[in-house]
Amino acid sequence: MKTKKQNADFLHVGRKLLDWYKIHGRDLPFRKTSDPYKIWICEIIFQQTRIEQGLNHYNNFIQRFPDLKTLAAAENDEVLLYWKGLGYYSRALNLHKAAHQIMTEYKGVFPQEYDDILRLKGVGKYTAAAISSICFGKKIPAVDGNFYRVLSRVFADDFDVSKSKAFDYFSDLALKAMPENEAGTFNEAMMDLGSEICKPKNPLCENCPLNEDCLAFNLGKIQDFPVKTKKTKPTDLALQYSFVEFEGEFLIKQRGDDFIWKKLYEFPIEVPKEWNAFITRQKTVLHKLTHKNLSIVINHIVVESREMMEIFADENGFMIVNEEEAHQKSFPKPLENYLADRFKSKL
Ligand code: SF4
């Protein structure tokens, strides 16, 4: 149990954070709006990308899909195309599904309640909290890695952030530090402090507005926080593809909804045995996913006629495309790199 004095300390830290943010907060395009659609898009994009890298993607995405209606009406392929370069394509597919969900279940009006926002496809507690607080003023902390890091350091709190209860635990801590009617600003301030000052490695404590109060800093124990037990090791997975081409055209097929790389395009996995005679070279690509280390062998096969590809495409649901047509599709990163290398241009 925290004492009354400690609760006042929490609030004191929260106020200092807000004072700092009002002067030093980043001037970002999505900070100028409280449109839940735009905040939602930016929260999903910036979950996986640094602000500097993701800004162009965000601007392009919003320019093409300025509102829910436009996004819901778009084709899957086009949404994926605008996600190109961001990775985690399942997030783009979920955005698209959630746009449909809002159109049908909420008559096209973005829901305001935290629980309703949380029900949207692909929206987790963090995103629901960010939207609720920034757009609708709900007093809900948007707890993410920044919160874990800043709060555990400031209060020298050794709660293990890899535990499933960490979210609720740090939400409670954050609530105590969150001044009334400032939830959205507080959440944004924590994001900025965590990414600009209280960085995972080499935090800039000398410039930190909380350094007088920060227990970890004053005890010289910054590297001890946050406490995190080791993650389980990713497993190895071997894949084999055949890049089958004839005179600059090649075979691709859209993946299904299961397993990794949902709805992205890929090369054939199995080809007729006789085609082994046409393998011109082989390349092994290593690629890391969150829980898997992939080792992908890609056989480059140059068949003797277009007809050979046509028969295969008809029987196995593939399509034949050229380089330009492939530009309009989205591929898993290792295959995209392979194509870029093959055509020596950025796909
Ligand atoms: S003083 Fe250092 S460790 Fe403490 S909150 Fe600030 S940047 Fe983080």
Side-chain angles (χ1 to χ4, degrees), residues 144-206:
D144 68 348
N146 292 316
F147 273 66
Y148 289 160
R149 197 164 57 254
V150 174
L151 292 175
S152 66
R153 285 174 175 171
V154 171
F155 301 113
D157 195 310
D158 61 2
F159 196 99
D160 184 345
V161 300
S162 57
K163 293 261 184 304
S164 58
K165 292 201 170 113
F167 187 91
D168 290 341
Y169 180 84
F170 284 96
S171 289
D172 284 349
L173 267 190
L175 268 177
K176 288 177 184 156
M178 189 181 265
E180 282 304 316
N181 304 320
E182 299 266 20
T185 319
F186 178 88
N187 285 335
E188 288 176 324
M190 279 293 250
M191 290 172 208
D192 279 13
L193 190 84
S195 56
E196 301 293 298
I197 304 281
C198 194
K199 301 173 186 222
K201 284 183 191 153
N202 307 321
L204 310 175
C205 300
E206 297 305 327

Short mmCIF file of all heavy atoms in Angstrom, two decimals, residues 144-206:
data_model
loop_
_atom_site.label_atom_id
_atom_site.label_comp_id
_atom_site.label_asym_id
_atom_site.label_seq_id
_atom_site.Cartn_x
_atom_site.Cartn_y
_atom_site.Cartn_z
N ASP A 144 2.54 1.21 -22.39
CA ASP A 144 3.36 0.46 -23.33
C ASP A 144 4.78 0.39 -22.74
O ASP A 144 4.99 0.71 -21.56
CB ASP A 144 3.35 1.11 -24.71
CG ASP A 144 4.06 2.47 -24.72
OD1 ASP A 144 4.34 2.99 -23.62
OD2 ASP A 144 4.34 2.98 -25.81
N GLY A 145 5.73 0.01 -23.55
CA GLY A 145 7.11 -0.13 -23.07
C GLY A 145 7.65 1.17 -22.48
O GLY A 145 8.44 1.13 -21.53
N ASN A 146 7.22 2.31 -23.02
CA ASN A 146 7.68 3.59 -22.47
C ASN A 146 7.24 3.76 -21.02
O ASN A 146 7.99 4.21 -20.17
CB ASN A 146 7.13 4.76 -23.29
CG ASN A 146 7.74 4.81 -24.68
OD1 ASN A 146 8.94 4.65 -24.84
ND2 ASN A 146 6.92 5.00 -25.69
N PHE A 147 5.98 3.40 -20.76
CA PHE A 147 5.46 3.52 -19.39
C PHE A 147 6.24 2.59 -18.45
O PHE A 147 6.60 2.97 -17.35
CB PHE A 147 3.97 3.12 -19.35
CG PHE A 147 3.04 4.26 -19.66
CD1 PHE A 147 3.02 4.83 -20.92
CD2 PHE A 147 2.16 4.75 -18.71
CE1 PHE A 147 2.16 5.87 -21.22
CE2 PHE A 147 1.29 5.79 -18.98
CZ PHE A 147 1.29 6.35 -20.24
N TYR A 148 6.41 1.34 -18.90
CA TYR A 148 7.13 0.38 -18.05
C TYR A 148 8.51 0.94 -17.68
O TYR A 148 8.93 0.89 -16.53
CB TYR A 148 7.34 -0.94 -18.80
CG TYR A 148 6.10 -1.78 -19.02
CD1 TYR A 148 6.07 -2.75 -20.01
CD2 TYR A 148 4.97 -1.62 -18.23
CE1 TYR A 148 4.96 -3.54 -20.22
CE2 TYR A 148 3.85 -2.40 -18.43
CZ TYR A 148 3.84 -3.35 -19.42
OH TYR A 148 2.74 -4.13 -19.64
N ARG A 149 9.19 1.46 -18.69
CA ARG A 149 10.57 1.92 -18.48
C ARG A 149 10.61 3.15 -17.57
O ARG A 149 11.31 3.17 -16.57
CB ARG A 149 11.20 2.23 -19.84
CG ARG A 149 12.69 2.31 -19.81
CD ARG A 149 13.27 2.23 -21.20
NE ARG A 149 12.78 3.25 -22.10
CZ ARG A 149 11.91 3.04 -23.10
NH1 ARG A 149 11.42 1.84 -23.31
NH2 ARG A 149 11.53 4.03 -23.88
N VAL A 150 9.81 4.16 -17.92
CA VAL A 150 9.87 5.41 -17.16
C VAL A 150 9.40 5.19 -15.72
O VAL A 150 10.09 5.55 -14.76
CB VAL A 150 9.00 6.52 -17.83
CG1 VAL A 150 8.95 7.77 -16.96
CG2 VAL A 150 9.54 6.86 -19.21
N LEU A 151 8.24 4.55 -15.57
CA LEU A 151 7.69 4.41 -14.21
C LEU A 151 8.56 3.50 -13.34
O LEU A 151 8.77 3.78 -12.16
CB LEU A 151 6.26 3.85 -14.28
CG LEU A 151 5.23 4.81 -14.90
CD1 LEU A 151 3.87 4.13 -15.04
CD2 LEU A 151 5.07 6.08 -14.06
N SER A 152 9.05 2.41 -13.91
CA SER A 152 9.86 1.51 -13.09
C SER A 152 11.15 2.21 -12.67
O SER A 152 11.65 1.99 -11.56
CB SER A 152 10.15 0.19 -13.81
OG SER A 152 10.98 0.43 -14.92
N ARG A 153 11.69 3.08 -13.54
CA ARG A 153 12.92 3.79 -13.17
C ARG A 153 12.64 4.89 -12.15
O ARG A 153 13.33 5.00 -11.14
CB ARG A 153 13.57 4.38 -14.42
CG ARG A 153 14.26 3.32 -15.26
CD ARG A 153 14.79 3.90 -16.56
NE ARG A 153 15.56 2.91 -17.32
CZ ARG A 153 15.99 3.09 -18.56
NH1 ARG A 153 15.74 4.22 -19.18
NH2 ARG A 153 16.69 2.16 -19.17
N VAL A 154 11.61 5.69 -12.43
CA VAL A 154 11.34 6.82 -11.52
C VAL A 154 11.06 6.32 -10.10
O VAL A 154 11.56 6.87 -9.12
CB VAL A 154 10.14 7.67 -12.03
CG1 VAL A 154 9.72 8.69 -10.99
CG2 VAL A 154 10.52 8.38 -13.32
N PHE A 155 10.29 5.23 -10.00
CA PHE A 155 9.93 4.74 -8.66
C PHE A 155 10.78 3.54 -8.23
O PHE A 155 10.45 2.87 -7.25
CB PHE A 155 8.43 4.40 -8.62
CG PHE A 155 7.58 5.60 -8.94
CD1 PHE A 155 6.83 5.66 -10.11
CD2 PHE A 155 7.57 6.70 -8.09
CE1 PHE A 155 6.06 6.78 -10.42
CE2 PHE A 155 6.81 7.83 -8.39
CZ PHE A 155 6.06 7.88 -9.56
N ALA A 156 11.85 3.26 -8.98
CA ALA A 156 12.72 2.10 -8.71
C ALA A 156 11.85 0.88 -8.37
O ALA A 156 12.06 0.20 -7.37
CB ALA A 156 13.69 2.41 -7.58
N ASP A 157 10.89 0.63 -9.24
CA ASP A 157 9.92 -0.44 -9.00
C ASP A 157 10.35 -1.70 -9.74
O ASP A 157 10.54 -1.68 -10.95
CB ASP A 157 8.54 0.02 -9.50
CG ASP A 157 7.43 -0.85 -8.97
OD1 ASP A 157 7.56 -2.09 -9.08
OD2 ASP A 157 6.46 -0.31 -8.43
N ASP A 158 10.51 -2.78 -8.98
CA ASP A 158 11.07 -3.99 -9.60
C ASP A 158 10.00 -4.99 -10.07
O ASP A 158 10.29 -6.16 -10.26
CB ASP A 158 12.06 -4.67 -8.66
CG ASP A 158 11.41 -5.10 -7.36
OD1 ASP A 158 10.17 -4.90 -7.22
OD2 ASP A 158 12.11 -5.63 -6.49
N PHE A 159 8.78 -4.52 -10.30
CA PHE A 159 7.75 -5.43 -10.83
C PHE A 159 8.21 -5.90 -12.22
O PHE A 159 8.57 -5.11 -13.07
CB PHE A 159 6.41 -4.69 -10.94
CG PHE A 159 5.24 -5.63 -11.11
CD1 PHE A 159 4.46 -5.97 -10.02
CD2 PHE A 159 4.94 -6.19 -12.34
CE1 PHE A 159 3.39 -6.85 -10.16
CE2 PHE A 159 3.89 -7.07 -12.49
CZ PHE A 159 3.10 -7.40 -11.40
N ASP A 160 8.15 -7.22 -12.42
CA ASP A 160 8.66 -7.81 -13.66
C ASP A 160 7.73 -7.44 -14.84
O ASP A 160 6.58 -7.87 -14.90
CB ASP A 160 8.72 -9.33 -13.48
CG ASP A 160 9.33 -10.04 -14.67
OD1 ASP A 160 9.44 -9.42 -15.75
OD2 ASP A 160 9.69 -11.21 -14.52
N VAL A 161 8.25 -6.66 -15.80
CA VAL A 161 7.39 -6.17 -16.88
C VAL A 161 7.03 -7.26 -17.89
O VAL A 161 6.18 -7.05 -18.76
CB VAL A 161 8.02 -4.96 -17.62
CG1 VAL A 161 8.25 -3.82 -16.67
CG2 VAL A 161 9.30 -5.34 -18.34
N SER A 162 7.68 -8.43 -17.81
CA SER A 162 7.30 -9.50 -18.74
C SER A 162 6.12 -10.32 -18.19
O SER A 162 5.58 -11.17 -18.88
CB SER A 162 8.49 -10.41 -19.04
OG SER A 162 9.00 -10.94 -17.84
N LYS A 163 5.72 -10.05 -16.97
CA LYS A 163 4.56 -10.77 -16.38
C LYS A 163 3.26 -10.23 -16.98
O LYS A 163 3.16 -9.04 -17.29
CB LYS A 163 4.52 -10.54 -14.86
CG LYS A 163 5.68 -11.19 -14.12
CD LYS A 163 5.24 -12.50 -13.51
CE LYS A 163 6.26 -13.21 -12.66
NZ LYS A 163 7.54 -13.52 -13.26
N SER A 164 2.26 -11.14 -17.08
CA SER A 164 1.01 -10.70 -17.70
C SER A 164 0.30 -9.63 -16.86
O SER A 164 -0.47 -8.83 -17.37
CB SER A 164 0.09 -11.90 -17.94
OG SER A 164 -0.14 -12.53 -16.71
N LYS A 165 0.59 -9.62 -15.55
CA LYS A 165 -0.08 -8.61 -14.70
C LYS A 165 0.59 -7.25 -14.77
O LYS A 165 0.11 -6.27 -14.17
CB LYS A 165 -0.07 -9.10 -13.25
CG LYS A 165 -0.95 -10.31 -13.02
CD LYS A 165 -1.32 -10.46 -11.56
CE LYS A 165 -2.39 -11.52 -11.40
NZ LYS A 165 -1.90 -12.70 -10.68
N ALA A 166 1.70 -7.14 -15.51
CA ALA A 166 2.45 -5.87 -15.54
C ALA A 166 1.58 -4.74 -16.10
O ALA A 166 1.65 -3.61 -15.61
CB ALA A 166 3.71 -6.02 -16.38
N PHE A 167 0.76 -5.05 -17.09
CA PHE A 167 -0.07 -4.00 -17.70
C PHE A 167 -0.97 -3.35 -16.64
O PHE A 167 -1.02 -2.12 -16.50
CB PHE A 167 -0.90 -4.58 -18.84
CG PHE A 167 -1.65 -3.54 -19.62
CD1 PHE A 167 -1.10 -2.95 -20.73
CD2 PHE A 167 -2.92 -3.12 -19.21
CE1 PHE A 167 -1.77 -1.96 -21.44
CE2 PHE A 167 -3.60 -2.15 -19.90
CZ PHE A 167 -3.03 -1.57 -21.02
N ASP A 168 -1.67 -4.20 -15.88
CA ASP A 168 -2.57 -3.64 -14.87
C ASP A 168 -1.80 -2.93 -13.76
O ASP A 168 -2.20 -1.88 -13.26
CB ASP A 168 -3.43 -4.77 -14.25
CG ASP A 168 -4.44 -5.28 -15.26
OD1 ASP A 168 -4.71 -4.55 -16.23
OD2 ASP A 168 -4.93 -6.41 -15.10
N TYR A 169 -0.66 -3.52 -13.40
CA TYR A 169 0.13 -2.95 -12.31
C TYR A 169 0.61 -1.55 -12.68
O TYR A 169 0.44 -0.59 -11.92
CB TYR A 169 1.33 -3.87 -12.02
CG TYR A 169 2.22 -3.36 -10.92
CD1 TYR A 169 1.91 -3.63 -9.58
CD2 TYR A 169 3.34 -2.57 -11.20
CE1 TYR A 169 2.72 -3.14 -8.56
CE2 TYR A 169 4.14 -2.08 -10.19
CZ TYR A 169 3.83 -2.36 -8.88
OH TYR A 169 4.61 -1.88 -7.86
N PHE A 170 1.17 -1.41 -13.88
CA PHE A 170 1.69 -0.09 -14.28
C PHE A 170 0.56 0.88 -14.66
O PHE A 170 0.73 2.08 -14.59
CB PHE A 170 2.74 -0.23 -15.38
CG PHE A 170 4.07 -0.72 -14.83
CD1 PHE A 170 4.42 -2.05 -14.87
CD2 PHE A 170 4.93 0.17 -14.22
CE1 PHE A 170 5.61 -2.50 -14.33
CE2 PHE A 170 6.14 -0.26 -13.67
CZ PHE A 170 6.48 -1.61 -13.72
N SER A 171 -0.59 0.32 -15.04
CA SER A 171 -1.75 1.20 -15.26
C SER A 171 -2.13 1.88 -13.96
O SER A 171 -2.43 3.08 -13.93
CB SER A 171 -2.96 0.39 -15.75
OG SER A 171 -2.77 -0.04 -17.04
N ASP A 172 -2.13 1.10 -12.87
CA ASP A 172 -2.47 1.68 -11.56
C ASP A 172 -1.47 2.76 -11.17
O ASP A 172 -1.86 3.83 -10.69
CB ASP A 172 -2.48 0.59 -10.48
CG ASP A 172 -3.72 -0.27 -10.58
OD1 ASP A 172 -4.64 0.12 -11.33
OD2 ASP A 172 -3.77 -1.33 -9.93
N LEU A 173 -0.18 2.47 -11.38
CA LEU A 173 0.85 3.46 -11.05
C LEU A 173 0.64 4.74 -11.87
O LEU A 173 0.67 5.85 -11.34
CB LEU A 173 2.23 2.92 -11.43
CG LEU A 173 3.06 2.18 -10.39
CD1 LEU A 173 4.48 1.96 -10.92
CD2 LEU A 173 3.14 3.01 -9.13
N ALA A 174 0.39 4.54 -13.17
CA ALA A 174 0.24 5.69 -14.07
C ALA A 174 -0.99 6.51 -13.68
O ALA A 174 -0.95 7.75 -13.72
CB ALA A 174 0.13 5.22 -15.51
N LEU A 175 -2.06 5.82 -13.28
CA LEU A 175 -3.28 6.54 -12.90
C LEU A 175 -3.03 7.48 -11.73
O LEU A 175 -3.58 8.59 -11.66
CB LEU A 175 -4.37 5.54 -12.50
CG LEU A 175 -5.31 5.09 -13.61
CD1 LEU A 175 -6.27 4.05 -13.09
CD2 LEU A 175 -6.09 6.29 -14.19
N LYS A 176 -2.16 7.05 -10.83
CA LYS A 176 -1.85 7.90 -9.68
C LYS A 176 -1.06 9.13 -10.09
O LYS A 176 -1.13 10.17 -9.45
CB LYS A 176 -1.03 7.10 -8.66
CG LYS A 176 -1.86 6.06 -7.95
CD LYS A 176 -1.00 5.25 -7.03
CE LYS A 176 -1.83 4.15 -6.41
NZ LYS A 176 -1.01 3.03 -5.98
N ALA A 177 -0.29 8.99 -11.16
CA ALA A 177 0.53 10.12 -11.60
C ALA A 177 -0.21 11.03 -12.58
O ALA A 177 0.26 12.12 -12.90
CB ALA A 177 1.81 9.59 -12.24
N MET A 178 -1.37 10.58 -13.05
CA MET A 178 -2.08 11.30 -14.12
C MET A 178 -2.96 12.41 -13.57
O MET A 178 -3.96 12.14 -12.89
CB MET A 178 -2.94 10.26 -14.86
CG MET A 178 -3.58 10.76 -16.12
SD MET A 178 -4.58 9.41 -16.83
CE MET A 178 -3.44 8.72 -17.98
N PRO A 179 -2.63 13.67 -13.83
CA PRO A 179 -3.48 14.76 -13.34
C PRO A 179 -4.88 14.70 -13.98
O PRO A 179 -5.02 14.23 -15.11
CB PRO A 179 -2.74 16.03 -13.78
CG PRO A 179 -1.33 15.59 -14.02
CD PRO A 179 -1.43 14.18 -14.51
N GLU A 180 -5.86 15.20 -13.26
CA GLU A 180 -7.25 15.20 -13.76
C GLU A 180 -7.35 15.94 -15.10
O GLU A 180 -6.66 16.93 -15.31
CB GLU A 180 -8.18 15.91 -12.76
CG GLU A 180 -8.58 15.09 -11.55
CD GLU A 180 -9.24 13.77 -11.90
OE1 GLU A 180 -10.10 13.76 -12.79
OE2 GLU A 180 -8.88 12.75 -11.28
N ASN A 181 -8.21 15.44 -15.98
CA ASN A 181 -8.51 16.09 -17.27
C ASN A 181 -7.32 16.27 -18.20
O ASN A 181 -7.33 17.12 -19.08
CB ASN A 181 -9.16 17.48 -17.05
CG ASN A 181 -10.40 17.38 -16.20
OD1 ASN A 181 -11.17 16.42 -16.34
ND2 ASN A 181 -10.56 18.31 -15.28
N GLU A 182 -6.26 15.50 -17.95
CA GLU A 182 -5.07 15.66 -18.81
C GLU A 182 -4.63 14.30 -19.34
O GLU A 182 -3.46 14.11 -19.67
CB GLU A 182 -3.90 16.26 -18.00
CG GLU A 182 -4.14 17.62 -17.43
CD GLU A 182 -3.66 18.73 -18.35
OE1 GLU A 182 -3.46 18.50 -19.56
OE2 GLU A 182 -3.47 19.84 -17.83
N ALA A 183 -5.56 13.34 -19.40
CA ALA A 183 -5.16 11.96 -19.73
C ALA A 183 -4.45 11.87 -21.08
O ALA A 183 -3.36 11.28 -21.18
CB ALA A 183 -6.39 11.06 -19.72
N GLY A 184 -5.04 12.48 -22.11
CA GLY A 184 -4.45 12.38 -23.45
C GLY A 184 -3.06 13.00 -23.48
O GLY A 184 -2.11 12.40 -24.00
N THR A 185 -2.94 14.19 -22.90
CA THR A 185 -1.65 14.88 -22.90
C THR A 185 -0.62 14.08 -22.09
O THR A 185 0.53 13.96 -22.47
CB THR A 185 -1.79 16.30 -22.31
OG1 THR A 185 -2.99 16.86 -22.80
CG2 THR A 185 -0.63 17.17 -22.70
N PHE A 186 -1.05 13.54 -20.96
CA PHE A 186 -0.15 12.73 -20.12
C PHE A 186 0.36 11.53 -20.91
O PHE A 186 1.56 11.23 -20.91
CB PHE A 186 -0.92 12.27 -18.87
CG PHE A 186 -0.10 11.40 -17.96
CD1 PHE A 186 0.69 11.95 -16.96
CD2 PHE A 186 -0.13 10.01 -18.09
CE1 PHE A 186 1.44 11.14 -16.11
CE2 PHE A 186 0.62 9.19 -17.24
CZ PHE A 186 1.40 9.75 -16.25
N ASN A 187 -0.54 10.84 -21.61
CA ASN A 187 -0.11 9.68 -22.39
C ASN A 187 0.88 10.07 -23.48
O ASN A 187 1.88 9.39 -23.70
CB ASN A 187 -1.34 8.98 -23.00
CG ASN A 187 -2.11 8.19 -21.97
OD1 ASN A 187 -1.55 7.77 -20.95
ND2 ASN A 187 -3.39 7.98 -22.21
N GLU A 188 0.61 11.18 -24.15
CA GLU A 188 1.53 11.62 -25.21
C GLU A 188 2.87 12.03 -24.60
O GLU A 188 3.93 11.77 -25.18
CB GLU A 188 0.91 12.79 -25.99
CG GLU A 188 -0.23 12.32 -26.88
CD GLU A 188 -0.94 13.46 -27.61
OE1 GLU A 188 -1.09 14.55 -27.02
OE2 GLU A 188 -1.34 13.25 -28.76
N ALA A 189 2.81 12.67 -23.42
CA ALA A 189 4.05 13.09 -22.77
C ALA A 189 4.91 11.89 -22.39
O ALA A 189 6.13 11.90 -22.55
CB ALA A 189 3.71 13.91 -21.52
N MET A 190 4.26 10.82 -21.92
CA MET A 190 5.01 9.61 -21.56
C MET A 190 5.66 9.00 -22.81
O MET A 190 6.79 8.53 -22.76
CB MET A 190 4.08 8.57 -20.92
CG MET A 190 3.81 8.84 -19.49
SD MET A 190 5.31 8.64 -18.50
CE MET A 190 4.92 7.20 -17.62
N MET A 191 4.91 9.02 -23.92
CA MET A 191 5.47 8.49 -25.17
C MET A 191 6.73 9.27 -25.54
O MET A 191 7.74 8.71 -25.91
CB MET A 191 4.46 8.63 -26.33
CG MET A 191 3.25 7.74 -26.23
SD MET A 191 2.05 8.21 -27.54
CE MET A 191 0.52 7.71 -26.76
N ASP A 192 6.64 10.60 -25.45
CA ASP A 192 7.78 11.44 -25.86
C ASP A 192 8.95 11.28 -24.90
O ASP A 192 10.10 11.16 -25.33
CB ASP A 192 7.36 12.91 -25.93
CG ASP A 192 6.65 13.22 -27.24
OD1 ASP A 192 6.29 12.25 -27.94
OD2 ASP A 192 6.46 14.40 -27.58
N LEU A 193 8.66 11.29 -23.61
CA LEU A 193 9.76 11.17 -22.65
C LEU A 193 10.46 9.81 -22.83
O LEU A 193 11.68 9.72 -22.83
CB LEU A 193 9.27 11.31 -21.21
CG LEU A 193 10.43 11.44 -20.22
CD1 LEU A 193 10.93 12.88 -20.13
CD2 LEU A 193 10.07 10.94 -18.83
N GLY A 194 9.65 8.77 -23.00
CA GLY A 194 10.21 7.42 -23.15
C GLY A 194 11.03 7.26 -24.41
O GLY A 194 12.04 6.58 -24.41
N SER A 195 10.60 7.90 -25.48
CA SER A 195 11.36 7.68 -26.72
C SER A 195 12.47 8.70 -26.93
O SER A 195 13.47 8.40 -27.56
CB SER A 195 10.42 7.65 -27.93
OG SER A 195 9.67 8.82 -27.97
N GLU A 196 12.35 9.91 -26.33
CA GLU A 196 13.37 10.94 -26.58
C GLU A 196 14.39 11.05 -25.45
O GLU A 196 15.54 11.40 -25.69
CB GLU A 196 12.69 12.31 -26.75
CG GLU A 196 11.70 12.38 -27.90
CD GLU A 196 12.36 12.25 -29.25
OE1 GLU A 196 13.18 13.11 -29.59
OE2 GLU A 196 12.07 11.27 -29.96
N ILE A 197 13.96 10.80 -24.22
CA ILE A 197 14.85 11.06 -23.07
C ILE A 197 15.16 9.76 -22.31
O ILE A 197 16.31 9.35 -22.19
CB ILE A 197 14.21 12.08 -22.09
CG1 ILE A 197 13.86 13.39 -22.82
CG2 ILE A 197 15.10 12.31 -20.88
CD1 ILE A 197 15.01 14.33 -23.06
N CYS A 198 14.11 9.12 -21.82
CA CYS A 198 14.33 7.91 -21.01
C CYS A 198 14.41 6.71 -21.94
O CYS A 198 13.56 5.82 -21.93
CB CYS A 198 13.20 7.75 -19.98
SG CYS A 198 13.60 6.55 -18.71
N LYS A 199 15.46 6.69 -22.77
CA LYS A 199 15.61 5.63 -23.77
C LYS A 199 16.04 4.34 -23.10
O LYS A 199 16.62 4.37 -22.02
CB LYS A 199 16.68 6.05 -24.78
CG LYS A 199 16.36 7.35 -25.49
CD LYS A 199 17.56 7.77 -26.32
CE LYS A 199 17.30 9.14 -26.90
NZ LYS A 199 17.69 9.28 -28.27
N PRO A 200 15.80 3.21 -23.78
CA PRO A 200 16.17 1.94 -23.17
C PRO A 200 17.67 1.91 -22.80
O PRO A 200 18.03 1.53 -21.70
CB PRO A 200 15.86 0.92 -24.26
CG PRO A 200 14.82 1.57 -25.12
CD PRO A 200 15.10 3.04 -25.07
N LYS A 201 18.51 2.31 -23.76
CA LYS A 201 19.95 2.35 -23.46
C LYS A 201 20.39 3.81 -23.43
O LYS A 201 19.90 4.62 -24.21
CB LYS A 201 20.72 1.64 -24.58
CG LYS A 201 20.59 0.13 -24.47
CD LYS A 201 21.42 -0.56 -25.53
CE LYS A 201 21.04 -2.02 -25.54
NZ LYS A 201 21.24 -2.65 -26.83
N ASN A 202 21.31 4.11 -22.56
CA ASN A 202 21.84 5.48 -22.43
C ASN A 202 20.75 6.55 -22.35
O ASN A 202 20.68 7.44 -23.20
CB ASN A 202 22.77 5.80 -23.61
CG ASN A 202 23.84 4.77 -23.77
OD1 ASN A 202 24.37 4.28 -22.78
ND2 ASN A 202 24.15 4.40 -25.00
N PRO A 203 19.90 6.50 -21.34
CA PRO A 203 18.90 7.57 -21.18
C PRO A 203 19.60 8.91 -20.92
O PRO A 203 20.69 8.94 -20.35
CB PRO A 203 18.10 7.12 -19.95
CG PRO A 203 18.97 6.15 -19.23
CD PRO A 203 19.82 5.49 -20.28
N LEU A 204 18.94 9.99 -21.36
CA LEU A 204 19.55 11.32 -21.22
C LEU A 204 19.12 11.96 -19.90
O LEU A 204 18.39 12.96 -19.87
CB LEU A 204 19.13 12.20 -22.41
CG LEU A 204 19.33 11.56 -23.79
CD1 LEU A 204 18.76 12.45 -24.90
CD2 LEU A 204 20.81 11.30 -24.05
N CYS A 205 19.57 11.37 -18.81
CA CYS A 205 19.09 11.78 -17.49
C CYS A 205 19.39 13.25 -17.18
O CYS A 205 18.61 13.91 -16.49
CB CYS A 205 19.70 10.90 -16.41
SG CYS A 205 19.28 9.18 -16.64
N GLU A 206 20.49 13.76 -17.69
CA GLU A 206 20.84 15.16 -17.40
C GLU A 206 19.77 16.11 -17.93
O GLU A 206 19.57 17.18 -17.40
CB GLU A 206 22.20 15.52 -18.03
CG GLU A 206 23.39 14.72 -17.48
CD GLU A 206 23.50 14.81 -15.97
OE1 GLU A 206 23.16 15.86 -15.41
OE2 GLU A 206 23.89 13.80 -15.34
#
